[in-house]
Amino acid sequence: MRSVPWLLVLCLVTSGEDPPNGPEPVDPAFHALVGGDVFVRPGEVRRGWTVLIRDGKIAAVSPNPVPAGARIWDCKGCTIHAAFLDAYAPVQTDATLDAQGLRKLGFGAAVHAPAKGNWRGAARLVSLADKPAEYKKDVYYACGFDRKKRGKDGFPTSEMGAIAVLRQGLYDKKTKLPLAFDTENELQALRSARIATAFERTALLLGSGLEFRRLHAIAATGLPVVLPLRFPPAPDVASVSTRESVDLRELMTWEQAPTTARRLDDAGVTVALTAAKLDRKNFARNLGEAIRHGLKKDRALAMLTTHPAKLLGIDKELGTLDPGKRANIAVRSSPSLFAPDTPFRAVWIDGKRYELQAPKPKLDGEWDLGARGKLVWKKGKVTRDGKAAREHTVRGQHVHMVFQGPLVLSGIVAGDTIEGHGIEADGRRFSWRATRKAIGETAEPKTKPKTSKTKADPVPETFGYPFGPYARAALPKMRHVRFVGATVWTSGPAGIVTDGEVEIRDGKIVYVGPRRKGQLGAATIDVSGRHITPGIVDCHSHTGISGGVNDSGQAVTAEVRIGDVTNPDSISWYRQLAAGVTTVNNLHGSANPIGGQNQVNKIRWGVRDPNGMHFLAAPPGIKFALGENVKQSNWGDEYKTRYPQTRMGVEALIRDRFHAAQAYARRNDVDKVDLELEALAEILAGERLIHCHSYRQDEILMLCRVARDFGFRIGTFQHVLEGYKVADAIKDAAIGGSAFSDWWAYKVEVQDAIPYNGALMRAVGVLVSFNSDSDELARRLNLEAAKAVKYGGVPRAEAFKFVTINPAIQLGVGDRIGSLENGKDADLAIWSGDPLSVYTHCVATWIDGREYWSENTDGEARKTIAAERRRLIAKVLRSPRAKQDRKKQTDGDVPTRIWWMEKFRAARCGVCGGAR
Amino acid sequence: MRLAVCFLLAVSGALAQDLTPKAPPQRRTVGIVNATIHPVSGPTIKQGYVVFTKGRITAVGAGPLKAGDGIEIIDGRGKHVYPGFIAPYTQLGLREIGAVRATRDMNEVGAMTPEAYAAVAVNPDSTLLPVTRSNGVLVFGVFPRGGLIPGRASVMRTDGWTWEDMAVRRDAGLVVAWPGNKKAKDTHTLAHAFAEAAAYLRKRKSDPKLRVDVRKEAFEPSLARKRPVFFLADTYDQITGALAFARRNRLRAVIVGGRDAPLCADLLKRTNTPILIRSIHRFPKRADADFDETYRLPAKLEAAGLTWCLASGERIPNERNLPYAAGRACAYGLDRDAAIRAITLSAAKVLGVDKDLGSIEKGKAATLFICNGDPLEIPTKVEAAWIDGRRINLSNKQKVLFEKYKAKYGLK
């Protein structure tokens, strides 16, 4: 129903010519473009042929004489090809398409696409004429990952929230059109592809320009990419301090961005280039850069004409200069395709000509003024007998000059002569005439301008994963190894074994115990003096989560999934590996009583597919939260209206949602899917573990009672700083409690937090772990365990379980990881000494029987990084493009939106600004 | 009886409260004997003694102590004696609970508030103090925060009936947050403020009737070089900028932060500028930087021969973890003696209180503690502590709650 008025509007726009105000003009609509180099299609050029246009269509491209009656357009020295087609021209609500701006770049048609929101709307292909014609409606449905800035603006405020909105929309059968995902980076491209695959939908990617970072994975999706020609500005390396702060990844991105189009093309991806998402002034320059970086001109032409035409299903009408097609043609006043310095002279749209650049008089050369000397025009400057003009202007064919004297000369250019009048200093008028010396007579021979080299310096063609520092070309090999001689902390029944041995094979542990005698064939590594422990398990982490840790837009966000936004590029992963951490529980933040679904990851640094980090054996979980954060106590005075604002309301809301989930599970219409209730129903069915942020004893006990009433077992209480006050209740209701070792006093609800909490809960029988909730603290979890020894006297081996087997059991993977026992995953850390000692550091970290980190490999990587930094910084300092960028950037304190950098900053609980 | 105390504490412990009496002045001479003494200023004494009277150390030595009459002898067999740890940079006492505005007293309104000095707002009954001192952190530098000149730092004891009792030095120096390299205007503002203050002070010298300007008055000790200026500066531009400013205005600079100090170690050395490392438990400045860049900062400064000390980098309530930051630096290249020095004698030097504090030497304040092992190791326990010879109560709210809930579960 809603679309009907729209259609009416469209009809008016497209067919409704205004009645002429005066006599009706008659357009003969018959034109001949004569003498240019005609690119009929990419790769097929007809030099000096004629393009005939009749009634808005291409009538012929031929070498034949021009038929009578056609208006002749002299195109000598020009290139002629199909006008470009922009497959993505985002338009904000209420705004109109900037047809003129796009025409200037050589475009003749564009997809008018809504630009805001998650489900943005259907896009239509229109001509870029002043009165646009609709070529095709409903070419695709535009989708995006937009998020609200603040919680009070509504849902979603996170990327995972946006993904949930898209998935729910697909369940709700929002559209049947192909989906076009507007992506901000390469990871979103892969996330888009996953959504499309899950729902078996055709899709295309409105790209980011960063696809080269995960090229192969993106190529493997098979989705076409509408690629913006945008390149990040050069990093500032022009001072001692800015050079210190520039990141290698930023440098590499700067260097590689111009290769994206070529790389995608080589990888077999269908690419269409778009002028969206960039400063249009840079379009021609950047296209030139892409060509300098190896993109073939024919391919570039295809990406601007035939590819988008095919992609949009309009290739019968647009894209080439074949007879019968629409006369959408671009004419450039240069004999070379894509000469970045020469603008387009005209664009034809449906046979109507739009002049873009009136031909300028060519003034360069030597002009003989007779008795008044000699004029020399060079690069837009004019001299008379060697003296520069004080001022001069060129307006159309008129030129005006003022020379010393003052002597004023005005004239009109006609080919190789200028004629006009002048005024002497004493006011005498005179007439003058200048003739240009024929080329060849001029003193200087014409040389090619040196400004742009036709080929860029070679750039590295492979860079491994993740893109940036510490990348690896392939995952480390799975090895068969015997570690002998170390003190082995098994975190299992065997306790601590001195002079022990651990053997791993095929990613599993095959022997743990005292050192055996004899050679077993496997490579033996002598680790005498070292300590081996299970890899550390962090039960509460926000590492490597793209686009927001919280979705604070609503009180219940059970439909969002941390696993949707895994960012394997975060350098925090690498740093945690360097601290013996192998598995982390990635949790949603604590902004809502019922938060999002968690993701347990193994730190497989260097995976190709971002989701390769997911630990598939882990049962699904979900974040709940209680207390100050969810009742928005510390959010500021604007946040006082969202339910709940009290701990009473928290309980009521949670119970209400579980009742809703019960009703949902009983529903008749099983085709109707509600992602939020789906997750809650899984909790009730015992298929999803709750990990609940909690502090005070009252709220902890409350959730224990809710769980009892609804008949499920809680996974863990997180933080659980007053857990020691109700340890007996926790023991019965939950798998365990995962606490901070010694944090307290940062909020009112943690005044009674005590470092003896872990020891007390353990003494009562609760399974206890210590976690980090911080990318920094995660780097010393072994020492957090030592605090259980200090406060409450937990035996050393038991204390170490707080960061190994106990969190593993809490996450439902105690049978796979967390202890060194036969048959378990070969996830282990090797330490320089006692892992509970401050003097100890991690020496190596293994996951799945692969050495993911070691002091040695780290040392090698440092050398590589230093060399790459040097090379790239030198390159930036040499680069003319970088120099231009630097000039533009000197606005001092004005922050620019850094779209090309994934944030490396530590992920933090956004609700409380770090105070959990 | 014990239980009664517990309940009393628990019931009234809603906000900042330290409900135990403060330590009374030292009455009897104390001799700790048979212990391993770590004077810091000199070599470790394996089997030695420390004697202190009326709050001052009167003897330190090796071997047995000839006990005089009236001396309280404490057998330190198997134990270690260290000078009290000094947390050189914290807001302890100025902020009780971060999330509660009413408990925050560290950031005065205005970009430049040198008149604000920390000591006067330190709450002696803060619940955080007993927890802090129970791990051997007996002295702390307390710094106002916010703006270009947040105020003046103070040096405090972790025990005392009033802030006056606690204060070792009320005005330890001006704090200046050196602007980042993009804020040239702020640099200019600072230069102007110092020049104005100097002009005011000159005028006042010649005209004592001039009305007192409390703000400009506050520059006096630093402009007269009686006190240092603590420049908060991390980046290369900040450090070099602050040093140049100090030279121009003839100030004694201390660099607080010092992340990029290794990049200009030569300059710091030449100007004899001490560095207060605010934290090693932070992220390296770049993603491609060495993962242990911040952990190795102390070792780098030590190798460069600079004077430096170390702050915990913890949140205010966890200042007790100061020794573990020092220990962590040892895992990444720092000599252990240097690590101890960084949180004792060097910290005292940087704060300007080394005449009295920071080492176990004859004549210095008897501010020291006994522990059962290496205090940089987490499981080690502090068993007794003295501030100016006053025996400190090492109990705290957390220990009381521990006992209370052991009782709930019938645990021993």
Side-chain angles (χ1 to χ4, degrees):
Chain A
M1 259 317 277
R2 199 183 267 178
S3 61
V4 172
W6 260 112
L7 283 178
L8 286 174
V9 172
L10 291 179
C11 294
L12 287 175
V13 169
T14 53
S15 62
E17 293 276 322
D18 291 333
N21 184 17
E24 192 176 322
V26 176
D27 181 1
F30 188 26
H31 302 274
L33 278 47
V34 179
D37 290 349
V38 184
F39 288 76
V40 178
R41 71 191 77 254
E44 190 184 323
V45 58
R46 305 283 180 231
R47 299 198 189 276
W49 282 25
T50 297
V51 180
L52 273 187
I53 302 170
R54 196 192 281 273
D55 295 332
K57 298 270 176 2
I58 293 164
V61 177
S62 77
N64 301 335
V66 180
R71 177 163 178 196
I72 291 174
W73 299 87
D74 180 9
C75 294
K76 264 192 217 89
C78 295
T79 46
I80 300 173
H81 51 71
F84 299 154
L85 176 49
D86 194 337
Y88 181 53
V91 177
Q92 301 291 334
T93 330
D94 301 334
T96 46
L97 197 59
D98 174 21
Q100 203 183 354
L102 281 169
R103 284 201 302 256
K104 266 193 189 154
L105 305 179
F107 287 92
V111 173
H112 181 291
K116 242 181 143 176
N118 303 123
W119 286 104
R120 295 178 179 175
R124 55 202 178 87
L125 177 63
V126 296
S127 84
L128 293 172
D130 283 340
K131 287 172 185 161
E134 184 177 88
Y135 288 161
K136 192 176 175 189
K137 64 174 185 178
D138 293 346
V139 288
Y140 56 67
Y141 203 98
C143 311
F145 298 86
D146 293 18
R147 39 208 186 261
K148 308 276 193 331
K149 277 211 181 78
R150 296 164 303 178
K152 62 179 188 153
D153 299 334
F155 186 74
T157 66
S158 67
E159 187 172 333
M160 59 188 163
I163 292 173
V165 169
L166 292 175
R167 286 185 10 251
Q168 184 66 54
L170 286 166
Y171 278 117
D172 297 347
K173 303 191 171 53
K174 195 120 188 163
T175 177
K176 287 178 180 163
L177 298 180
L179 306 173
F181 293 95
D182 181 9
T183 62
E184 291 158 30
N185 56 50
E186 72 283 9
L187 292 173
Q188 266 183 9
L190 295 173
R191 287 164 196 154
S192 305
R194 267 196 297 278
I195 296 170
T197 309
F199 289 87
E200 297 176 351
R201 299 294 295 261
T202 40
L204 59 117
L205 300 171
L206 307 172
S208 60
L210 300 174
E211 288 75 7
F212 60 92
R213 290 177 177 171
R214 289 203 175 257
L215 183 76
H216 298 290
I218 288 171
T221 67
L223 300 183
V225 178
V226 178
L227 183 71
L229 276 172
R230 69 170 173 185
F231 311 141
D236 179 3
V237 290
S239 80
V240 170
S241 62
T242 54
R243 187 178 163 126
E244 269 301 306
S245 58
V246 166
D247 197 273
L248 177 63
R249 182 171 153 108
E250 199 180 340
L251 289 161
M252 289 170 67
T253 300
W254 169 78
E255 181 183 44
Q256 292 289 342
T259 69
T260 318
R262 187 248 301 166
R263 285 178 188 280
L264 283 169
D265 195 42
D266 289 348
V269 177
T270 302
V271 178
L273 297 176
T274 171
K277 301 187 182 183
L278 69 146
D279 183 348
R280 291 220 178 114
K281 286 202 285 292
N282 289 338
F283 181 80
R285 180 193 80 164
N286 289 0
L287 185 57
E289 279 292 292
I291 289 167
R292 264 162 39 81
H293 283 79
L295 178 65
K296 295 271 185 306
K297 287 186 178 177
D298 283 342
R299 302 303 292 164
L301 184 59
M303 288 173 184
L304 285 159
T305 55
T306 51
H307 286 188
K310 190 116 198 264
L311 198 61
L312 300 168
I314 191 96
D315 48 327
K316 289 219 168 69
E317 295 180 49
L318 293 172
T320 65
L321 299 184
D322 289 315
K325 288 199 176 176
R326 288 177 184 274
N328 283 20
I329 300 166
V331 181
R332 192 201 288 273
S333 34
S334 153
S336 161
L337 198 57
F338 302 125
D341 301 331
T342 44
F344 285 96
R345 177 183 291 180
V347 162
W348 295 74
I349 297 171
D350 288 320
K352 184 168 162 45
R353 182 173 189 271
Y354 291 88
E355 181 160 284
L356 301 176
Q357 177 94 57
K360 275 189 186 167
K362 290 181 180 123
L363 286 164
D364 278 11
E366 274 185 40
W367 301 80
D368 188 2
L369 272 175
R372 292 181 198 276
K374 194 174 75 173
L375 286 177
V376 176
W377 283 88
K378 200 176 162 188
K379 288 183 184 169
K381 289 197 175 132
V382 59
T383 56
R384 187 175 73 105
D385 294 342
K387 283 182 185 154
R390 289 188 163 178
E391 51 185 285
H392 70 275
T393 48
V394 180
R395 285 203 193 95
Q397 303 298 308
H398 293 261
V399 293
H400 311 281
M401 296 158 274
V402 181
F403 292 100
Q404 207 177 7
L407 169 72
V408 178
L409 294 178
S410 287
I412 295 176
V413 187
D416 289 338
T417 57
I418 310 177
E419 277 184 312
H421 292 90
I423 304 173
E424 296 275 17
D426 57 12
R428 258 184 319 122
R429 288 169 59 93
F430 61 93
S431 61
W432 60 278
R433 179 187 161 89
T435 50
R436 178 160 34 199
K437 288 187 183 172
I439 295 173
E441 286 176 44
T442 48
E444 291 169 89
K446 253 204 158 177
T447 49
K448 275 202 164 176
K450 272 191 209 161
T451 43
S452 79
K453 279 202 295 177
T454 47
K455 252 188 126 183
D457 293 341
V459 300
E461 290 297 314
T462 54
F463 22 72
Y465 292 91
F467 182 82
Y470 307 102
R472 52 169 49 113
L475 290 190
K477 267 208 231 97
M478 195 179 274
R479 285 164 63 185
H480 179 193
V481 181
R482 285 174 61 195
F483 300 99
V484 298
T487 303
V488 181
W489 298 54
T490 64
S491 288
I496 299 174
V497 183
T498 49
D499 196 18
E501 177 179 330
V502 178
E503 185 182 354
I504 60 173
R505 175 186 281 177
D506 300 330
K508 297 284 176 188
I509 296 165
V510 294
Y511 174 82
V512 181
R515 184 211 285 253
R516 290 170 297 180
K517 288 183 179 152
Q519 199 43 266
L520 293 184
T524 301
I525 300 179
D526 184 358
V527 280
S528 303
R530 309 274 200 213
H531 290 238
I532 299 183
T533 68
I536 285 175
V537 180
D538 188 355
C539 202
H540 191 128
S541 161
H542 303 295
T543 303
I545 296 171
S546 299
V549 166
N550 271 295
D551 204 304
S552 53
Q554 49 196 31
V556 180
T557 56
E559 66 272 38
V560 312
R561 308 193 299 205
I562 293 287
D564 282 339
V565 287
T566 302
N567 171 13
D569 297 355
S570 169
I571 197 66
S572 279
W573 294 120
Y574 182 81
R575 292 176 181 156
Q576 288 171 36
L577 269 181
V581 182
T582 53
T583 300
V584 300
N585 182 23
N586 268 95
L587 285 169
H588 185 278
S590 52
N592 3 49
I594 300 180
Q597 302 169 26
N598 72 324
Q599 180 62 51
V600 180
N601 286 310
K602 280 200 185 190
I603 308 183
R604 298 180 182 120
W605 177 256
V607 286
R608 282 201 170 201
D609 174 5
N611 288 4
M613 283 211 185
H614 294 177
F615 188 12
L616 301 175
I622 187 168
K623 179 78 174 284
F624 273 43
L626 312 172
E628 289 182 23
N629 288 6
V630 308
K631 64 197 191 81
Q632 305 180 303
S633 308
N634 307 313
W635 292 33
D637 284 346
E638 295 161 281
Y639 293 89
K640 280 169 148 179
T641 52
R642 188 184 86 180
Y643 192 98
Q645 292 289 308
T646 65
R647 286 183 170 83
M648 300 180 289
V650 174
E651 194 235 11
L653 181 81
I654 291 174
R655 281 188 186 272
D656 172 71
R657 288 293 88 197
F658 279 130
H659 286 299
Q662 282 176 333
Y664 175 77
R666 289 194 303 263
R667 76 196 184 284
N668 294 326
D669 181 7
V670 287
D671 284 344
K672 199 145 176 70
V673 175
D674 181 317
L675 286 171
E676 179 183 309
L677 294 174
E678 194 84 11
L680 294 175
E682 285 165 9
I683 298 170
L684 297 177
E687 293 161 2
R688 185 172 286 283
L689 294 171
I690 291 177
H691 301 290
C692 184
H693 162 115
S694 55
Y695 287 113
R696 254 173 40 186
Q697 60 151 312
D698 47 280
E699 61 197 27
I700 295 167
L701 187 62
M702 175 275 283
L703 195 72
C704 291
R705 296 301 173 248
V706 170
R708 184 187 63 194
D709 294 349
F710 285 90
F712 63 84
R713 190 165 165 78
I714 294 162
T716 62
F717 283 99
Q718 295 284 326
H719 310 331
V720 62
L721 292 180
E722 286 191 12
Y724 67 96
K725 296 184 178 177
V726 285
D728 36 5
I730 295 172
K731 182 185 152 206
D732 294 337
I735 299 175
S738 185
F740 295 130
S741 66
D742 62 356
W743 294 17
W744 70 301
Y746 45 95
K747 289 192 282 186
V748 171
E749 63 186 357
V750 291
Q751 289 181 94
D752 275 7
I754 61 174
Y756 305 93
N757 183 34
L760 267 173
M761 287 198 294
R762 177 179 168 274
V764 176
V766 176
L767 185 81
V768 178
S769 66
F770 281 169
N771 62 52
S772 77
D773 193 7
S774 146
D775 286 11
E776 206 294 309
L777 190 61
R779 308 203 290 160
R780 45 200 163 104
L781 277 170
N782 58 312
L783 300 180
E784 290 298 281
K787 288 177 182 163
V789 181
K790 182 186 190 82
Y791 299 107
V794 176
R796 289 159 51 80
E798 288 298 306
F800 205 71
K801 287 184 182 175
F802 281 23
V803 294
T804 53
I805 185 66
N806 292 5
I809 295 169
Q810 290 173 346
L811 295 173
V813 285
D815 56 337
R816 283 283 303 272
I817 59 163
S819 62
L820 300 178
E821 293 179 71
N822 282 357
K824 281 198 161 181
D825 292 7
D827 294 5
L828 50 88
I830 304 174
W831 305 86
S832 62
D834 175 357
L836 295 177
S837 165
V838 289
Y839 302 124
T840 297
H841 64 271
C842 181
V843 174
T845 307
W846 292 64
I847 298 171
D848 304 332
R850 303 169 195 265
E851 188 187 68
Y852 272 89
W853 187 85
S854 79
E855 277 187 315
N856 292 341
T857 53
D858 182 64
E860 289 303 312
R862 289 181 188 194
K863 286 182 211 156
T864 314
I865 288 165
E868 263 304 84
R869 283 183 62 83
R870 273 198 304 275
R871 181 185 73 78
L872 279 161
I873 287 171
K875 186 168 180 176
V876 171
L877 290 173
R878 278 198 315 266
S879 154
R881 172 160 69 97
K883 205 169 162 189
Q884 288 170 18
D885 291 341
R886 264 204 304 285
K887 274 193 189 144
K888 274 187 230 156
Q889 277 178 340
T890 47
D891 307 352
D893 292 338
V894 181
T896 46
R897 193 165 154 255
I898 307 179
W899 54 268
W900 61 93
M901 287 292 285
E902 270 282 337
K903 297 279 189 305
F904 285 100
R905 208 165 51 82
R908 287 210 149 190
C909 170
V911 172
C912 36
R916 276 83 181 159
Chain B
M1 182 54 207
R2 193 181 204 181
L3 208 60
V5 173
C6 295
F7 281 131
L8 187 72
L9 275 172
V11 169
S12 52
L15 277 175
Q17 286 288 311
D18 171 15
L19 295 176
T20 52
K22 308 296 180 181
Q26 182 179 12
R27 290 197 191 93
R28 287 176 69 192
T29 298
V30 175
I32 304 168
V33 298
N34 298 326
T36 306
I37 315 289
H38 301 263
V40 179
S41 51
T44 301
I45 304 162
K46 274 273 182 304
Q47 280 268 319
Y49 58 85
V50 187
V51 182
F52 45 96
T53 309
K54 289 179 185 164
R56 291 275 152 184
I57 296 166
T58 52
V60 187
L65 174 68
K66 280 186 202 141
D69 281 346
I71 292 189
E72 180 189 348
I73 292 293
I74 293 169
D75 188 5
R77 201 176 300 273
K79 313 285 187 194
H80 298 259
V81 183
Y82 283 87
F85 290 149
I86 301 172
Y89 182 93
T90 170
Q91 281 79 37
L92 202 55
L94 294 186
R95 193 178 87 171
E96 192 69 14
I97 295 187
V100 180
R101 183 179 163 193
T103 74
R104 298 194 294 251
D105 277 301
M106 48 199 217
N107 187 354
E108 190 45 76
V109 167
M112 290 189 285
T113 54
E115 67 279 8
Y117 73 102
V120 75
V122 169
N123 176 9
D125 283 336
S126 164
T127 309
L128 310 181
L129 288 168
V131 170
T132 305
R133 68 185 181 228
S134 65
N135 206 31
V137 179
L138 304 185
V139 175
F140 60 102
V142 53
F143 283 65
R145 281 170 56 167
L148 290 172
I149 305 183
R152 283 168 291 160
S154 306
V155 183
M156 312 293 281
R157 304 168 179 92
T158 46
D159 182 272
W161 289 103
T162 65
W163 60 262
E164 283 182 312
D165 296 344
M166 291 170 70
V168 177
R169 181 163 273 188
R170 294 182 197 182
D171 178 359
L174 211 52
V175 185
V176 172
W178 195 257
N181 60 353
K182 283 187 177 167
K183 301 217 169 143
K185 214 167 75 187
D186 288 346
T187 318
H188 186 73
T189 310
L190 276 173
H192 194 61
F194 272 80
E196 290 261 286
Y200 159 84
L201 290 165
R202 272 196 304 275
K203 173 84 162 92
R204 208 170 128 68
K205 222 174 189 176
S206 60
D207 175 12
K209 282 189 187 146
L210 184 68
R211 185 207 182 282
V212 169
D213 180 329
V214 291
R215 186 161 285 180
K216 295 195 182 97
E217 208 69 43
F219 286 86
E220 198 274 333
S222 290
L223 280 171
R225 292 179 67 85
K226 289 182 274 187
R227 293 287 182 268
V229 176
F230 296 99
F231 288 102
L232 310 184
D234 260 321
T235 66
Y236 171 87
D237 281 351
Q238 283 175 316
I239 297 172
T240 51
L243 288 180
F245 183 77
R247 199 169 53 234
R248 267 201 308 282
N249 292 282
R250 288 206 214 97
L251 305 169
R252 284 165 49 204
V254 173
I255 296 297
V256 180
R259 190 196 68 189
D260 281 348
L263 294 178
C264 43
D266 52 345
L267 189 56
L268 290 160
K269 177 93 181 155
R270 206 160 59 231
T271 53
N272 206 11
T273 308
I275 297 117
L276 191 168
I277 299 175
R278 232 156 84 176
S279 177
I280 63 165
H281 286 144
R282 55 202 276 196
F283 294 113
K285 64 186 162 196
R286 295 189 310 262
D288 62 56
D290 302 346
F291 78 89
D292 55 3
E293 181 188 71
T294 53
Y295 301 155
R296 286 194 185 273
L297 180 57
K300 280 182 188 160
L301 299 192
E302 183 69 15
L306 298 167
T307 304
W308 62 278
C309 69
L310 180 66
S312 72
E314 296 273 354
R315 288 152 188 250
I316 300 163
N318 274 354
E319 202 53 54
R320 59 180 161 194
N321 289 337
L322 173 69
Y324 313 140
R328 182 75 164 160
C330 297
Y332 294 92
L334 184 66
D335 173 63
R336 187 180 171 281
D337 286 347
I340 294 283
R341 210 162 46 237
I343 54 173
T344 54
L345 190 53
S346 296
K349 272 187 187 152
V350 169
L351 295 175
V353 293
D354 53 317
K355 209 171 125 259
D356 284 325
L357 294 165
S359 59
I360 299 178
E361 287 178 80
K362 192 176 167 186
K364 278 201 174 183
T367 298
L368 45 83
F369 65 84
I370 301 177
C371 56
N372 67 352
D374 179 349
L376 302 191
E377 289 282 25
I378 292 167
T380 301
K381 283 181 179 144
V382 172
E383 297 183 338
W386 290 263
I387 293 178
D388 296 332
R390 298 181 293 122
R391 177 100 185 233
I392 301 302
N393 183 348
L394 291 182
S395 180
N396 60 43
K397 176 185 174 184
Q398 301 191 328
K399 290 180 181 176
V400 173
L401 280 170
F402 181 40
E403 293 304 322
K404 173 179 169 182
Y405 280 90
K406 278 205 300 199
K408 175 183 177 184
Y409 303 115
L411 297 167
K412 279 183 199 158

